[in-house]
Amino acid sequence: MEALEKLNRFTRREHTAEEVYLFDVTLCDNDIDRDLERFSDEALSEMAGLFVGKTGIFDHDLRSGSQTARIFDTRIETDGNRRTRDGRPYAALKASAYMIRTDSNADLIREIEGGIKKEVSVSCSAGRRTCSVCGADRSAQGCAHVPGRLYDGMLCHTVLENIDDAYEWSFVAVPAQVNAGVTKQFHGEEESGMEKDALMQEVEEMLRSEVLSLCGRQGHVSKALCLAANKMDIAELMTMKRALLEEQPCEAELQLAGSAADPQLDAFCQR
């Protein structure tokens, strides 16, 4: 069994299938999360190698008594029928983990199988935190672009890149990444997940109103178009807005400059 061969690289003796419990976890993905941040595709590939052999704990408790499982294999999985919030092909970092069956973890295994222990969070170090609009490294300098605002039809967010270390992954209770169900925390204040979800919905509705307004100015409004716009996601609405703006190159669009955001200086993140 290939899985047993891989996990036995981390044990002091070879274990049989009856002695171990195997399960898969989604560690993180490349979509924009509730904190308006995302991992780059390159970052996912970097973490795929770094998380092999990393221990699984509870709530990022670094005491050795919290250790409960270990990753023995990772892979990047893509979904050709799925797009991220800003229209890119969706990809996720998946991992295979194991724990030794004991009397003390029998209840935990039952909770995993029953879907109670489900969400996980990764802890890693990002060398760069890049503004999606101008490319400025938010870890080293600030910029005028505010995450969550639209600039030329693009949703501003922060791209996490250059992952140089992976620390651990944890079972947690409250997910922050919408698609992967992964919790991420930074040192410092954070907005709640409900606030971030409401913000994403507000951005989508604002963009939809802009598209319909542009259609009205150009005589394109129809019942069919309104129905179509109501079913479009952010990426589709941005594409339609750009196409409509190209039809009226002489019309100036007023934009308000955002206030400079304080850079996040702590490269250590728990996601």
Side-chain angles (χ1 to χ4, degrees):
M1 184 177 178
E2 184 179 358
L4 281 177
E5 292 179 2
K6 290 182 177 180
L7 76 84
N8 275 318
R9 291 180 298 169
F10 302 100
T11 61
R12 296 190 62 182
R13 66 168 178 82
E14 289 194 1
H15 285 65
T16 65
E18 291 73 23
E19 292 179 290
V20 296
Y21 175 72
L22 309 182
F23 59 100
D24 290 337
V25 294
T26 299
L27 294 176
C28 53
D29 61 20
N30 67 344
D31 208 349
I32 302 171
D33 67 18
R34 289 173 179 152
D35 291 326
L36 296 169
E37 295 167 331
R38 69 172 173 87
F39 286 114
S40 68
D41 291 344
E42 293 76 13
L44 290 184
S45 297
E46 292 164 353
M47 289 190 291
L50 292 171
F51 269 101
V52 174
K54 291 301 185 291
T55 188
I57 57 180
F58 290 97
D59 298 317
H60 303 292
D61 181 353
L62 301 182
R63 291 174 295 182
S64 61
S66 178
Q67 290 177 288
T68 187
R70 192 172 299 277
I71 290 173
F72 64 88
D73 197 15
T74 60
R75 60 199 177 277
I76 304 294
E77 291 188 2
T78 58
D79 187 343
N81 298 318
R82 189 173 182 177
R83 313 293 286 186
T84 61
R85 291 185 177 185
D86 56 339
R88 293 170 293 102
Y90 178 80
L93 173 58
K94 303 291 185 73
S96 296
Y98 77 96
M99 62 177 68
I100 305 301
R101 291 181 181 271
T102 64
D103 292 338
S104 61
N105 67 15
D107 288 340
L108 173 59
I109 291 174
R110 282 195 290 270
E111 288 178 337
I112 292 174
E113 292 182 335
I116 304 302
K117 289 291 189 296
K118 181 178 180 181
E119 289 79 16
V120 300
S121 164
V122 298
S123 177
C124 62
S125 174
R128 284 181 59 85
R129 296 165 44 80
T130 305
C131 172
S132 65
V133 178
C134 67
D137 184 359
R138 298 186 188 275
S139 299
Q141 64 190 69
C143 70
H145 302 113
V146 180
R149 293 187 180 177
L150 292 175
Y151 297 89
D152 294 328
M154 296 188 303
L155 179 66
C156 180
H157 58 276
T158 301
V159 185
L160 304 179
E161 302 176 289
N162 294 1
I163 308 300
D164 49 30
D165 200 357
Y167 304 127
E168 45 80 13
W169 56 282
S170 292
F171 286 103
V172 294
V174 182
Q177 284 203 347
V178 176
N179 294 316
V182 178
T183 294
K184 184 267 297 158
Q185 295 178 341
F186 280 100
H187 294 170
E189 262 187 58
E190 294 185 335
E191 294 179 66
S192 72
M194 291 181 64
E195 289 172 334
K196 292 296 174 62
D197 279 344
L199 176 59
M200 293 300 297
Q201 184 175 357
E202 183 179 352
V203 167
E204 184 174 321
E205 291 304 318
M206 289 173 57
L207 186 56
R208 183 172 290 108
S209 295
E210 289 182 46
V211 167
L212 291 175
S213 177
L214 285 169
C215 288
R217 279 183 250 169
Q218 299 178 34
H220 297 325
V221 170
S222 67
K223 184 177 180 180
L225 181 59
C226 292
L227 290 173
N230 285 332
K231 294 182 179 180
M232 290 180 182
D233 59 21
I234 287 180
E236 293 167 333
L237 288 167
M238 289 193 304
T239 299
M240 189 171 184
K241 180 183 176 182
R242 284 194 289 266
L244 290 168
L245 288 174
E246 289 174 359
E247 295 183 16
Q248 49 175 23
C250 295
E251 182 173 343
E253 186 175 359
L254 177 63
Q255 293 186 349
L256 299 178
S259 59
D262 293 334
Q264 288 276 3
L265 298 179
D266 192 350
F268 175 79
C269 61
Q270 295 176 353
R271 303 184 61 81

